[in-house]
Amino acid sequence: MYRKQVRRRRAVLVLLVVACLMLISISISEADSGPLHRVQNGVSAVLNPIGEGASRALKPARDLVNWFDETLAARGENDDLRQQVADLRAELTETQDAAEKAGYADDLKKLMGSSGLDAYEPVDATVTAHSTSTWYGSIRIDKGSDDGIAVNDSVVTSQGLVGRISNVGGGFADVGLLTDGTSANAVTARISGKGPVGTVTPVVGAPGKLEFTLIEGGGEFDEGDELVTASFQIQGDRRSIYPEGIPVGEVDQAVPAEQDVQDPVRITPFANFDDLNEVTVLTGGPG
Amino acid sequence: MIVTPRIFLRLAAIVFVAVLLQAAFFSGVPLLGSVANVVPVVVVALGLLGGAVTGTVSGFAAGILIDVMVGGTLGVSSLALMAAGYAAGRWREGYDIVSSLVPPLLTGALCGVAALAYGAMQLTLGIDATVSPLVVREVVVQALLGALLAVPVFPLIRRVLRPALVDDSARARAKAASARAGFGGRSGPFANIRGDRGHLRGL
């Protein structure tokens, strides 16, 4: 009897491990339009309304927990913020002109206007599910191909770039975040106003941090320098996924001009990845 | 555990609700620089209560559901959760739960193992990014949050599955017998498990 149980246990284990390995292998090797992905998307489409309903039902509970968390954090930050307000007031008096341009909303509006983002059709969406691990930076939203969303469309918040659409179904879409270390989510970016071009990549295990590695250009960075997406086009059809000029983040630490910039520079993204509830997908676009 | 069709449905419901709660609630609530993951906690609890087969199958099902609902590589979450569920089940088959601290501590350790296994598989499959040493902190935080979550989750799942648990049925019979004889039974979610298992072995 005991031996039979042991044999059964081992058989179940081996069977399921083999099943997992086969699923991983097929999932990685087949195209996005392959049968396994189609089944995954089909099941997803069925389960999505349930997840969406649960997400909406549990939003008050989430907000309550986050409210406590933010209240506790706010108390700790109070003194720092007071000091910062005093510093900013002094700075404001000295540089009125620069301060006028400092409002991020104005910057975003200006960048959208000057870089042709007005040509994109914005689709507002609600986040219905978040990934369960820091290894996977992805979210699911409640809008999909029925709303005109397509794979590789850029996703932004009012603060800046969030990521791109990695998978889309009829009434849902998955967003690969900038912090996702498992997919090709590197962003070509440049320092706004200075021009050195590089790639922004995530730092796995350090949520909320990105790295900027130079491809070309000079190497002086000041703390607070803003990064925006840099669009490029090679040989006609090949072009970068993200449109030009979307704010990405700011430089954490100054790097003097005389220092040879080989190592990645730490970036803090503008978008708050811990609190993503509403996002906007830039659909369509020029051409 | 005696898995009748009704108990099977309960097990499926537990796994589904856990994944739903994870995707819709826990993943949106940052704690200690990470997010609590209730799914491995539930899988470990099912392994501890039902044995290795229950733990393994629950881990597999929960992993597939997560990958489908959140959009990951199919099979990766399953492998990590199966490791935790199988280990919990083997513990249950080899040792007694002699203290109420055992389930939370074991759950914490196995949540850490699941997080490590998941990370190792992602590294094997290829990560297009720098891996920070803070990943170690992530594993420790996952273990800590898993241990804390196990405190309410383990007794809750035990209560839901009570009709199928051999230990609990034997305990209920023993309690009823001692009540009839005029003696008070021991109470509490983990009380008297060792004695009951010993009693069963003697049968």
Side-chain angles (χ1 to χ4, degrees):
Chain A
M1 181 67 180
Y2 178 71
R3 281 186 180 175
K4 192 180 168 188
Q5 278 183 348
V6 170
R7 276 203 300 273
R8 180 167 152 257
R9 189 175 68 210
R10 284 179 184 163
V12 169
L13 183 67
V14 170
L15 190 74
L16 293 181
V17 168
V18 170
C20 282
L21 294 177
M22 283 177 65
L23 282 172
I24 292 170
S25 173
I26 296 169
S27 192
I28 289 173
S29 59
E30 79 168 10
D32 284 348
S33 57
L36 188 65
H37 280 92
R38 281 208 302 273
V39 170
Q40 189 176 2
N41 281 346
V43 178
S44 231
V46 173
L47 293 176
N48 199 46
I50 303 171
E52 201 178 319
S55 182
R56 282 188 184 154
L58 291 169
K59 191 172 185 306
R62 268 200 321 266
D63 290 346
L64 183 68
V65 175
N66 284 332
W67 181 81
F68 277 111
D69 186 43
E70 283 165 10
T71 305
L72 288 173
R75 283 191 175 187
E77 288 171 6
N78 200 20
D79 291 340
D80 291 343
L81 287 173
R82 279 184 182 169
Q83 183 59 44
Q84 281 183 26
V85 167
D87 293 345
L88 285 171
R89 275 189 186 139
E91 207 173 302
L92 187 68
T93 314
E94 291 172 8
T95 55
Q96 286 284 347
D97 291 342
E100 281 177 16
K101 296 173 188 172
Y104 179 72
D106 291 343
D107 283 351
L108 185 61
K109 198 173 175 182
K110 195 178 84 178
L111 283 169
M112 284 190 76
S114 63
S115 55
L117 290 178
D118 291 339
Y120 289 85
E121 180 70 31
V123 175
D124 294 331
T126 303
V127 177
T128 58
H130 298 71
S131 56
T132 58
S133 165
T134 54
W135 295 83
Y136 262 142
S138 67
I139 52 173
R140 175 159 290 180
I141 57 176
D142 65 346
K143 299 285 170 63
S145 55
D146 295 345
D147 306 284
I149 292 174
V151 170
N152 286 339
D153 278 351
S154 300
V155 183
V156 300
T157 64
S158 58
Q159 287 108 25
L161 186 65
V162 168
R164 67 178 179 88
I165 299 293
S166 59
N167 180 40
V168 67
F172 72 92
D174 294 328
V175 181
L177 302 178
L178 296 182
T179 52
D180 184 7
T182 60
S183 61
N185 271 344
V187 180
T188 314
R190 63 181 168 79
I191 298 289
S192 181
K194 290 188 179 178
V197 177
T199 54
V200 174
T201 52
V203 182
V204 175
K209 290 291 173 192
L210 300 170
E211 282 182 347
F212 180 59
T213 311
L214 280 177
I215 298 173
E216 59 180 43
E220 183 180 359
F221 296 97
D222 294 323
E223 188 177 341
D225 273 354
E226 292 186 4
L227 273 113
V228 296
T229 52
S231 178
F232 62 87
Q233 191 165 358
I234 308 167
Q235 294 171 348
D237 290 343
R238 297 186 65 188
R239 56 190 302 166
S240 56
I241 293 171
Y242 298 100
E244 170 89 17
I246 304 176
V248 177
E250 64 181 7
V251 174
D252 264 1
Q253 200 170 11
V255 178
E258 59 271 15
Q259 186 175 328
D260 188 16
V261 182
Q262 298 284 342
D263 296 329
V265 179
R266 282 294 171 103
I267 306 297
T268 299
F270 287 129
N272 182 3
F273 289 92
D274 285 340
D275 191 23
L276 283 177
N277 289 315
E278 306 289 334
V279 296
T280 301
V281 185
L282 301 178
T283 64
Chain B
M1 180 186 285
I2 303 160
V3 183
T4 60
R6 182 171 287 187
I7 294 302
F8 179 80
L9 284 178
R10 286 191 189 189
L11 287 169
I14 288 170
V15 169
F16 185 73
V17 168
V19 172
L20 205 60
L21 272 177
Q22 182 59 43
F25 178 70
F26 286 104
S27 291
V29 180
L31 283 171
L32 304 176
S34 180
V35 288
N37 196 347
V38 77
V39 179
V41 176
V42 168
V43 169
V44 168
L46 292 175
L48 278 175
L49 293 169
V53 173
T54 307
T56 310
V57 174
S58 304
F60 179 80
I64 293 288
L65 258 180
I66 287 176
D67 289 338
V68 167
M69 287 190 79
V70 182
T73 306
L74 274 180
V76 176
S77 301
S78 288
L79 268 182
L81 291 171
M82 276 165 58
Y86 180 77
R90 291 293 291 137
W91 175 283
R92 190 258 183 196
E93 289 162 6
Y95 303 96
D96 291 323
I97 299 174
V98 293
S99 157
S100 58
L101 287 175
V102 170
L105 291 178
L106 197 61
T107 305
L110 289 176
C111 282
V113 169
L116 261 180
Y118 190 83
M121 274 181 282
Q122 292 294 359
L123 279 177
T124 311
L125 293 173
I127 294 280
D128 303 327
T130 313
V131 178
S132 161
L134 289 175
V135 163
V136 177
R137 187 195 69 177
E138 165 74 7
V139 171
V140 173
V141 170
Q142 284 296 319
L144 187 66
L145 293 175
L148 290 174
L149 273 177
V151 173
V153 168
F154 185 81
L156 186 69
I157 291 178
R158 188 191 179 105
R159 178 174 279 271
V160 174
L161 297 176
R162 177 158 289 169
L165 300 178
V166 178
D167 288 353
D168 275 20
S169 303
R171 187 174 58 163
R173 283 196 298 274
K175 196 174 177 181
S178 51
R180 278 197 298 275
F183 298 106
R186 291 164 68 182
S187 60
F190 311 109
N192 215 21
I193 296 172
R194 187 180 199 175
D196 288 341
R197 288 174 67 92
H199 171 67
L200 284 172
R201 282 202 185 104
L203 287 175

